[in-house]
Amino acid sequence: MPAVTKEANKKGDFLVDYETKVFEDVKAEPGEKALVTFHTVAFEGSIGLVNLLQASRLIQKGFETSVLLYGPGVTLGVQRGFPTLGDEAFPGHLNFNNRIEKIIADGGKVYACRFALQALYGHGEGALIPGVIPISPLDVLDVVLLHRKANAFILDTWTL
């Protein structure tokens, strides 16, 4: 068996060069828009949180940013907590809620499909995180088309 001669990793070590950026830091031109869509279930993978973080990054870069929650994506936008709403049962339990609240506080818009909310998941509009805007299922395609007409950057989030 070969001997391991490298010292074990320890807290505070750098394992990669996180400072070197390869591409230019792109900023939005005035009036540029972005739409991030979510057709994914909360807590069933990392993509929901990752692309909520991307939505925040788009806001920081100056994009007028909207988030669309439809289908199972509406599960990202409902209030949660345990033992009562707003209570974090374990660290990270409210990561979706906290990020959506930050997106709204930073000027982003978050929309949730009423059909998915009620028909698929049994929630009413009162279950949404304050500031999330409920929309008609007929608006789901139109919000995407309006962003397309505006030459917006569109990031679609899907899990199967």
Side-chain angles (χ1 to χ4, degrees):
M1 169 90 51
V4 176
T5 57
K6 181 188 177 298
E7 184 180 323
N9 296 341
K10 60 188 176 305
K11 189 174 183 172
D13 283 353
F14 297 97
L15 302 181
V16 298
D17 174 4
Y18 68 91
E19 292 180 336
T20 302
K21 189 163 173 11
V22 176
F23 301 101
E24 69 177 284
D25 187 20
V26 177
K27 301 288 185 189
E29 296 295 326
E32 270 193 289
K33 297 176 188 261
L35 173 67
V36 184
T37 71
F38 289 87
H39 193 281
T40 186
V41 179
F43 300 106
E44 285 198 3
S46 63
I47 195 64
L49 180 59
V50 167
N51 279 351
L52 284 173
L53 292 168
Q54 296 288 35
S56 283
R57 189 126 189 271
L58 287 163
I59 291 170
Q60 292 166 358
K61 289 179 164 290
F63 287 87
E64 295 174 20
T65 303
S66 297
V67 169
L68 170 63
L69 309 175
Y70 70 111
V74 298
T75 63
L76 297 168
V78 296
Q79 297 179 62
R80 55 180 45 88
F82 189 84
T84 64
L85 290 178
D87 291 338
E88 190 170 43
F90 54 86
H93 172 223
L94 297 179
N95 59 10
F96 300 113
N97 299 66
N98 293 339
R99 182 52 49 179
I100 286 174
E101 289 170 1
K102 179 168 178 33
I103 288 167
I104 293 167
D106 290 345
K109 292 184 174 130
V110 180
Y111 302 99
C113 175
R114 287 182 175 119
F115 176 83
L117 194 63
Q118 179 177 321
L120 303 181
Y121 296 100
H123 292 294
E125 293 176 18
L128 292 171
I129 295 167
V132 173
I133 303 162
I135 62 171
S136 164
L138 300 176
D139 285 328
V140 170
L141 180 59
D142 287 329
V143 72
V144 174
L145 293 173
L146 287 169
H147 278 80
R148 181 181 159 271
K149 277 186 174 185
N151 292 316
F153 171 75
I154 300 176
L155 178 60
D156 292 308
T157 309
W158 277 80
T159 51
L160 304 173

